[in-house]
Amino acid sequence: MDNDNDLISQQLATGTSRRQVLKRLGMGAVGLAGLNLLASRVKAATTTLSAQDAAILQFALNLEYLEAQYYTFALTGHGVNPVLLTGSGTMGPVVIKSNPSVPFTTPAFRQYGAEIYRDETAHVSYIRQVLRFFGVEPVAQPKLDLLHSFNTLARAAGIGSSFDPFANEANFILGAFIFEDVGVTAYKGAAPLIENNDILAGAAGLLGTEAYHAANIRTTIFNDLGATAISIARKISDLRDQLDGVGDDDQGLIDGNGKANITPTDDNALVFGRTTRQVLNIVYGAPGAHGGLFFPNGLNGPIR
């Protein structure tokens, strides 16, 4: 803040008016004394983190581990750098087939996957950095299942006895469809619960990125993969709706008029939000469960 005050003094000395300086800082007519008081309050606010905000970040980190590992294995054949997986709680392995690197044949699809892989890995790093900035140890990656989980999901959704998202590029994109819409609704549902405005701003950025990913995946399925893939996406959407409980807050790629439905929204064109429990029902594969499907032993952290 001393640097900011030096800058203000320099600007006033060179003829910049007090009003112009404060306007530039977004302070209106607050004045320098008020600015100093506000700065001290902001500094105090940004060095503390409520237990609720910490729990929300740890919950999000668990979900980002899942997404990051899915895309990293699919694009590189190996997992996320172990440096990004350590922390509190029991660190678990990733259960996955041998040689999971997807045999892409469409360059654009590989590029889509590579971009999302980089984004999801960056999300893991970002959330861990934020937690540590506030003096909170990030949770370690829990045990993840990227093998049996998809077979269980396929049977529950009525799309067959097994499903291998790493077998080909079409399956990979359908696997991505399972995750991305859930990520959007999870961040939307958490938004009203976040107390720190800096954390809220970061969560808004994460939500926006996940929404771009979801739109990319949904558009690719609708435009490039054909009727069978669209039908499978519908069944996955129906299963998510069944698992998350009352309400119809999940949508396939075709609306009631047979038209494209790339952006699933409510009547006000707002994306849906899910509660923590609704998200857990989906990733655990059963209402009220405390582990299962993608997280066999549950999540690490206060929200399980």
Side-chain angles (χ1 to χ4, degrees):
M1 192 62 203
D2 291 340
N3 291 337
D4 291 340
N5 286 334
D6 290 344
L7 176 60
I8 292 168
S9 299
Q10 292 169 13
Q11 290 176 325
L12 289 173
T14 57
T16 305
S17 74
R18 180 189 185 91
R19 177 176 296 178
Q20 287 172 316
V21 171
L22 295 176
K23 183 177 180 181
R24 184 173 302 168
L25 292 170
M27 297 302 299
V30 170
L32 291 179
L35 179 63
N36 288 332
L37 176 61
L38 180 64
S40 65
R41 290 176 178 173
V42 169
K43 183 177 181 181
T46 55
T47 55
T48 60
L49 188 67
S50 71
Q52 179 164 292
D53 283 359
I56 290 170
L57 287 173
Q58 300 282 33
F59 178 69
L61 181 56
N62 278 275
L63 300 180
E64 295 291 356
Y65 281 140
L66 175 63
E67 289 188 296
Q69 290 287 25
Y70 177 75
Y71 290 105
T72 302
F73 273 108
L75 270 295
T76 71
H78 57 75
V80 173
N81 188 331
V83 171
L84 294 177
L85 307 178
T86 61
S88 62
T90 302
M91 181 174 168
V94 179
V95 179
I96 194 167
K97 66 181 280 188
S98 300
N99 303 316
S101 183
V102 175
F104 288 97
T105 58
T106 306
F109 294 173
R110 177 183 288 277
Q111 291 180 48
Y112 299 161
E115 181 177 13
I116 300 177
Y117 140 64
R118 291 190 296 268
D119 288 346
E120 300 297 358
T121 305
H123 286 175
V124 168
S125 178
Y126 169 73
I127 295 174
R128 290 172 62 88
Q129 289 179 56
V130 171
L131 285 164
R132 283 186 167 146
F133 173 81
F134 288 105
V136 178
E137 180 67 6
V139 295
Q141 174 193 277
K143 181 179 181 179
L144 302 176
D145 188 328
L146 293 175
L147 178 61
H148 309 295
S149 56
F150 287 104
N151 297 331
T152 301
L153 186 148
R155 291 191 293 271
I159 60 178
S161 60
S162 64
F163 179 76
D164 180 0
F166 306 104
N168 55 63
E169 60 187 20
N171 280 15
F172 163 74
I173 292 168
L174 285 166
F177 174 77
I178 295 169
F179 299 125
E180 294 300 339
D181 283 359
V182 177
V184 174
T185 59
Y187 281 114
K188 169 66 183 300
L193 307 177
I194 297 174
E195 298 173 352
N196 183 303
N197 283 339
D198 292 325
I199 302 300
L200 180 59
L206 291 164
L207 186 156
T209 303
E210 298 293 349
Y212 275 119
H213 293 170
N216 181 330
I217 297 301
R218 292 174 71 93
T219 300
T220 301
I221 295 172
F222 179 84
N223 196 51
D224 299 313
L225 299 191
T228 298
I230 292 173
S231 175
I232 291 173
R234 172 75 264 177
K235 292 178 180 179
I236 293 170
S237 173
D238 288 344
L239 178 61
R240 289 191 305 228
D241 239 340
Q242 177 184 335
L243 289 170
D244 72 10
V246 179
D248 184 15
D249 52 7
D250 208 299
Q251 298 171 3
L253 306 176
I254 303 292
D255 66 16
N257 298 314
K259 305 295 183 181
N261 184 42
I262 302 303
T263 310
T265 59
D266 63 17
D267 292 340
N268 295 313
L270 303 178
V271 299
F272 295 100
R274 284 188 169 99
T275 66
T276 300
R277 184 65 255 177
Q278 288 177 308
V279 174
L280 290 175
N281 289 349
I282 294 172
V283 298
Y284 289 163
H290 295 283
L293 203 61
F294 297 109
F295 295 92
N297 301 331
L299 275 61
N300 278 332
I303 298 176
R304 296 177 58 82

